[in-house]
Amino acid sequence: MQAHKTFNMNIIESLQWRYATKKFDSTKKLSKEQLQVIKEAFNLTATSYGLQALSLVIVENQNLREQLVPHAFNQRQVADASHLLVLCYPDHFDGKDVANYFDRIVSERKTPEETIKPFRDFLINDFDSKSTKDKHASFAKQTYIALGNLLTVCALEKIDSCPMEGFVPSKVDEVLDLASKNLKSALLLPVGFRAEDDFMAKEKKVRKPLSEIIIEI
Ligand SMILES: Cc1cc2nc3c(=O)[nH]c(=O)nc-3n(C[C@H](O)[C@H](O)[C@H](O)COP(=O)(O)O)c2cc1C
């Protein structure tokens, strides 16, 4: 009998390979296929109730990305990466959006209306009564799940990336006119390929020993 494989070495190797890229090679672009993997992976992210109250804005436009650099504390990754991913959540979202979600379930799974009705009514009411502030806080959390998902997917695809919270969301929203799309920015994720002289690529990955971060009870 073959020895039981306890973990997939490729995944661990890929996660060791990835790092928060500080300098991208601005001459290297992601292929259409690589972008497609990112789009599909984003769409497959798990979300609370499955509502998918989040959007991915993909910015390639160089002029716009240069305008964003000062609003990201001059972090050049925003402009030098192949593409800038902006993880967003909806500004306005209410019971009507929840109803649309259930309509899709009914149409795609052929679930009988009466089966879905109690949960549908509960969730519509829940979203109609929640404050905008609470909804925004909850949606912003969902974008972090998508970020984690994309970081892993990019690592497996040998796409470099840099998760970024270091920016002024209101300014990014303004430059990208996100209000016209009913969106607010939560996170940035420049994606592309590391520059050969990115000093960070050669730095040792620093993590706690497992014995310090894992508690087995
Ligand atoms: C939510 C989040 C926000 C981050 N914001 C920034 C940022 O604005 N700029 C940056 O260079 N790195 C940023 N990082 C990268 C972290 O500093 C980096 O992931 C951490 O030091 C571990 O290093 P590694 O990812 O290279 O293994 C961020 C990471 C996360 C998860």
Side-chain angles (χ1 to χ4, degrees):
M1 210 174 88
Q2 265 198 330
H4 181 64
K5 219 172 150 192
T6 50
F7 64 91
N8 184 337
M9 197 58 212
N10 287 334
I11 289 180
I12 300 303
E13 277 172 359
S14 296
L15 292 175
Q16 291 279 6
W17 172 86
R18 73 146 291 282
Y19 72 107
T21 305
K22 303 295 173 211
K23 190 173 177 190
F24 283 88
D25 181 340
S26 60
T27 65
K28 291 188 181 156
K29 301 295 283 182
L30 292 184
S31 68
K32 254 191 157 154
E33 292 73 23
Q34 286 169 316
L35 273 171
Q36 193 59 27
V37 170
I38 286 173
K39 292 176 192 174
E40 301 274 1
F42 180 80
N43 195 33
L44 286 167
T45 296
T47 57
S48 181
Y49 298 116
L51 285 171
Q52 293 191 287
L54 73 182
S55 296
L56 184 64
V57 175
I58 303 177
V59 191
E60 192 174 7
N61 184 299
Q62 199 58 39
N63 178 28
L64 282 175
R65 290 198 284 143
E66 289 293 346
Q67 287 180 51
L68 291 177
V69 173
H71 303 310
F73 304 104
N74 292 319
Q75 299 187 84
R76 287 287 319 165
Q77 297 101 308
V78 164
D80 293 341
S82 166
H83 292 72
L84 175 67
L85 310 183
V86 186
L87 284 76
C88 303
Y89 58 86
D91 188 5
H92 305 287
F93 186 100
D94 57 24
K96 285 191 290 303
D97 301 288
V98 177
N100 289 340
Y101 162 69
F102 282 103
D103 288 348
R104 180 171 297 123
I105 293 188
V106 168
S107 116
E108 298 204 12
R109 286 191 182 148
K110 313 288 173 233
T111 311
E113 285 277 1
E114 59 275 21
T115 309
I116 236 158
K117 194 176 180 324
F119 188 42
R120 177 190 192 121
D121 290 349
F122 156 75
L123 216 52
I124 288 175
N125 182 47
D126 193 38
F127 273 85
D128 276 338
S129 54
K130 259 195 181 94
S131 74
T132 301
K133 191 166 168 250
D134 284 353
K135 282 188 269 191
H136 283 181
S138 155
F139 296 157
K141 285 185 194 167
Q142 314 290 313
T143 65
Y144 282 77
I145 299 171
L147 177 78
N149 186 22
L150 290 184
L151 286 174
T152 303
V153 167
C154 284
L156 291 169
E157 291 291 310
K158 289 284 179 286
I159 296 168
D160 284 304
S161 66
C162 183
M164 286 176 56
E165 257 177 344
F167 67 101
V168 184
S170 60
K171 294 288 182 191
V172 168
D173 296 359
E174 206 178 293
V175 171
L176 300 177
D177 188 24
L178 294 183
S180 70
K181 298 171 182 65
N182 184 35
L183 292 177
K184 290 178 103 58
S185 60
L187 290 163
L188 301 182
L189 184 65
V191 288
F193 302 96
R194 61 190 73 177
E196 263 177 39
D197 61 344
D198 184 3
F199 77 98
M200 205 43 125
K202 279 129 210 142
E203 292 288 315
K204 188 178 185 296
K205 195 169 270 300
V206 179
R207 289 295 191 271
K208 291 177 177 178
L210 286 187
S211 59
E212 235 181 76
I213 202 165
I214 311 286
I215 294 115
E216 289 176 294
I217 300 174

